[in-house]
Amino acid sequence: RVEQLRPDFVINIGDLIEGNSEDVAQLDREWDEIDSAVGRLSVPFFYVPGNHDLTNEVQRSEWRRRLGADYYSFVYKDVLFLVLNTEDPPQPKIARMKLLQDYGADAMKTVFEALQGDPAKAEALFASDPKLAELAAKIRGSENVAFSADQVKMVRNALAKNPKTRWTFVLMHRPAWKVDSPAFREIEAMLKGRSHTVLAGHFHKYMYERHGDADYIQLGTTGGMPGGDPSDPAVVDHVMWVAMDRDGPRISNMKLDGFFPKQGPQAAKQ
């Protein structure tokens, strides 16, 4: 469907495969499915690694074998794109399936919805139920980000090489501004004074923040499973369309159910 809009290129925001495995044959099957879908595009596709894509060193090796670098930069029409890897190195295994077995699906759903909702209500819920509080602590403990020294150096070099681009986009999977990350604070300091926009995903819920003069946006599900209460309008499956104007980016979000072919809405379901 995005193909019909004729973008110059497409960038994903991470978590293309289910991952969470060291079975190379299984990983190959999952990546082959992605390759088949991406191969139908007639425009370039840029990959941003997510925690499902890079759960462990086996998956990172497979990523590099198939796709090359897991963090990089490029310039297009005087706009700098910094593609970051928040799993550098891959984070310690949290074993979500083990948590599901230990705490049950209902508790997992309750905690995830609470963590994506009002913070005060979440804290009140966890204060009233020690078991949910324990589960929330384990889930929160998995939300760290990791940027290697080499990755920070890549950012520094890219910014130094392109000091006067008209805009800079920073793309990553986990929203690093939401956790205590000295490496990301260093990256933010490098961006000071530059016109830039920061985009992330991971939580499957749309959120917009303003940090200084920059937009920080956490995208919604973008094709994944809903995160939080499905009735929440921020839990939305969408495509973000970015067009560069003279004064900066114009950003529009299109719900995935907003497209249908010339044959009519019913044809889209076939």
Side-chain angles (χ1 to χ4, degrees):
R1 296 180 182 182
V2 174
E3 171 80 7
Q4 295 174 349
L5 298 174
R6 303 300 300 159
D8 289 355
F9 56 86
V10 176
I11 306 180
N12 88 301
I13 208 67
D15 278 2
L16 284 169
I17 66 171
E18 184 61 30
N20 290 310
S21 174
E22 295 182 347
D23 182 339
V24 174
Q26 174 63 31
L27 297 173
D28 278 343
R29 286 191 292 271
E30 293 180 9
W31 277 117
D32 286 347
E33 183 178 356
I34 297 301
D35 290 347
S36 176
V38 172
R40 294 197 290 270
L41 287 172
S42 62
V43 298
F45 185 93
F46 292 92
Y47 295 81
V48 176
N51 57 297
H52 280 263
D53 308 315
L54 297 182
T55 310
N56 51 59
E57 290 295 344
V58 173
Q59 286 186 241
R60 180 149 74 166
S61 294
E62 287 300 294
W63 175 287
R64 291 176 174 177
R65 180 179 69 83
R66 283 176 168 268
L67 304 173
D70 46 64
Y71 55 82
Y72 55 94
S73 69
F74 66 95
V75 176
Y76 181 74
K77 292 186 176 180
D78 199 31
V79 176
L80 174 63
F81 293 82
L82 298 171
V83 176
L84 305 186
N85 174 10
T86 53
E87 318 298 315
D88 181 26
Q91 298 296 286
K93 215 171 187 180
I94 186 175
R96 288 274 170 89
M97 288 304 296
K98 182 67 164 55
L99 291 182
L100 184 64
Q101 293 166 4
D102 291 345
Y103 293 88
D106 289 343
M108 291 283 283
K109 181 175 183 292
T110 298
V111 168
F112 273 113
E113 289 183 357
L115 291 174
Q116 288 298 297
D118 181 272
K121 290 182 179 178
E123 293 309 318
L125 172 65
F126 300 148
S128 68
D129 190 325
K131 198 74 172 176
L132 292 181
E134 181 180 87
L135 175 57
K138 291 180 179 180
I139 292 173
R140 281 170 167 161
S142 74
E143 296 303 341
N144 292 321
V145 301
F147 299 103
S148 68
D150 283 344
Q151 184 170 182
V152 175
K153 181 180 178 181
M154 181 278 292
V155 173
R156 184 180 296 107
N157 290 343
L159 294 173
K161 185 179 179 180
N162 303 280
K164 295 183 179 180
T165 50
R166 59 184 176 133
W167 209 267
T168 298
F169 283 94
V170 183
L171 300 110
M172 70 193 80
H173 181 64
R174 297 184 196 253
W177 64 90
K178 293 188 172 185
V179 299
D180 182 17
S181 171
F184 186 65
R185 289 200 300 270
E186 185 177 351
I187 290 171
E188 286 183 305
M190 295 179 207
L191 292 165
K192 191 172 183 181
R194 297 179 69 111
S195 298
H196 66 282
T197 301
V198 182
L199 302 175
H202 186 56
F203 287 112
H204 299 199
K205 180 176 179 178
Y206 196 95
M207 295 186 71
Y208 171 84
E209 300 175 42
R210 191 79 175 162
H211 291 218
D213 295 327
D215 289 333
Y216 281 54
I217 302 175
Q218 174 184 292
L219 277 70
T221 55
T222 60
M225 296 295 291
D229 183 356
S231 66
D232 185 340
V235 180
V236 58
D237 215 354
H238 69 105
V239 170
M240 175 177 281
W241 183 267
V242 181
M244 285 300 300
D245 277 347
R246 186 174 302 173
D247 298 328
R250 284 188 294 108
I251 295 177
S252 303
N253 291 290
M254 296 171 283
K255 294 182 178 180
L256 289 193
D257 60 7
F259 294 82
F260 57 85
K262 65 182 179 181
Q263 291 84 358
Q266 187 59 36
K269 300 178 181 179
Q270 297 175 353

